[in-house]
Amino acid sequence: HELKNLQSFFKDQKTPLIPLVKGALLLTYAHWEGGIKDVSTRYLQHVEQQKYLRKDLKSNFLALESISAIKQASSSNQLLLYQQAVDHIRYNLDHRYRLPNIVLIDTESNLSTKVFRNVLSCLGLSSVWVNFETKQRLIDVALLKTRNDIAHTGQTEDRSEIELAPVIGTVIELLEQFRTE
């Protein structure tokens, strides 16, 4: 709703003030990252609420559920811990799927297309990347790089050349498409 209001505002502006453009770019990026994280987390919770058995789910869900054990084995480099992680997966397939009590969707505070592809993989949706691939430049440059330039370096470069209404519209479309997927 907030993005649609911003989009309408910038459609009507002939030459918007630079601070408003910068603020809108930051807000648009925040909605991009937050929307992806929120929808992803809700989807994982939805899958858990369906009370599936582990054996009925794709491997990404088993990997997510076992991530703590895998990380622990990886950091220790002890075969015994790897075996325990494998045994946990192997011998508990007839148990109900449960999410671990950790953050599973990590946007790394920089939702680039590389990170976004990892989120898709976590959700078992790697194949839908093709639906977003044409927007790679928008995500990595118009959103992320611009956000980082403004937020992290305090760059005061003029951003008035950016047509915000189409950028915001595309982000709204991407979020709606992601939610649908």
Side-chain angles (χ1 to χ4, degrees):
H1 183 68
E2 193 170 46
L3 284 178
K4 288 182 180 183
N5 286 341
L6 266 178
Q7 183 184 27
S8 294
F9 175 80
F10 282 102
K11 274 183 184 174
D12 298 337
Q13 295 295 309
K14 301 269 189 262
T15 53
L17 295 171
I18 293 169
L20 290 178
V21 172
K22 288 180 178 181
L25 286 165
L26 291 171
L27 191 58
T28 301
Y29 172 81
H31 277 288
W32 162 246
E33 182 178 324
I36 295 300
K37 190 170 187 170
D38 183 57
V39 170
S40 299
T41 301
R42 288 175 190 260
Y43 175 68
L44 292 176
Q45 292 167 345
H46 170 75
V47 170
E48 181 185 39
Q49 290 171 353
Q50 300 308 302
K51 300 181 181 179
Y52 289 112
L53 296 180
R54 293 175 184 158
K55 67 182 178 186
D56 297 327
L57 294 171
K58 293 180 183 179
S59 61
N60 63 292
F61 292 104
L62 296 177
L64 286 172
E65 186 180 48
S66 307
I67 202 161
S68 293
I70 293 168
K71 281 183 177 180
Q72 184 180 7
S74 170
S75 67
S76 75
N77 207 23
Q78 294 180 14
L79 183 61
L80 177 61
L81 293 177
Y82 282 106
Q83 286 174 311
Q84 289 173 348
V86 170
D87 286 347
H88 170 77
I89 296 167
R90 190 172 172 193
Y91 297 120
N92 289 299
L93 291 174
D94 288 325
H95 291 101
R96 188 174 148 216
Y97 174 73
R98 294 200 186 273
L99 287 172
N101 194 19
I102 60 171
V103 174
L104 295 172
I105 302 300
D106 184 6
T107 56
E108 302 177 25
S109 298
N110 282 294
L111 188 55
S112 64
T113 52
K114 178 183 174 190
V115 174
F116 181 56
R117 288 180 82 170
N118 187 56
V119 169
L120 290 173
S121 180
C122 288
L123 301 175
L125 298 172
S126 296
S127 63
V128 303
W129 166 248
V130 297
N131 300 331
F132 298 92
E133 195 168 18
T134 60
K135 303 302 182 197
Q136 191 166 352
R137 182 162 169 71
L138 176 118
I139 293 167
D140 288 338
V141 178
L143 289 177
L144 183 60
K145 182 183 181 311
T146 301
R147 174 263 196 177
N148 287 343
D149 287 348
I150 295 168
H152 295 301
T153 66
Q155 196 171 50
T156 57
E157 182 180 314
D158 183 358
R159 304 274 178 198
S160 61
E161 79 285 354
I162 296 175
E163 291 186 47
L164 272 173
V167 170
I168 295 168
T170 302
V171 170
I172 292 168
E173 290 170 15
L174 289 171
L175 288 170
E176 288 173 351
Q177 184 174 4
F178 180 70
R179 185 180 61 214
T180 300
E181 295 290 350

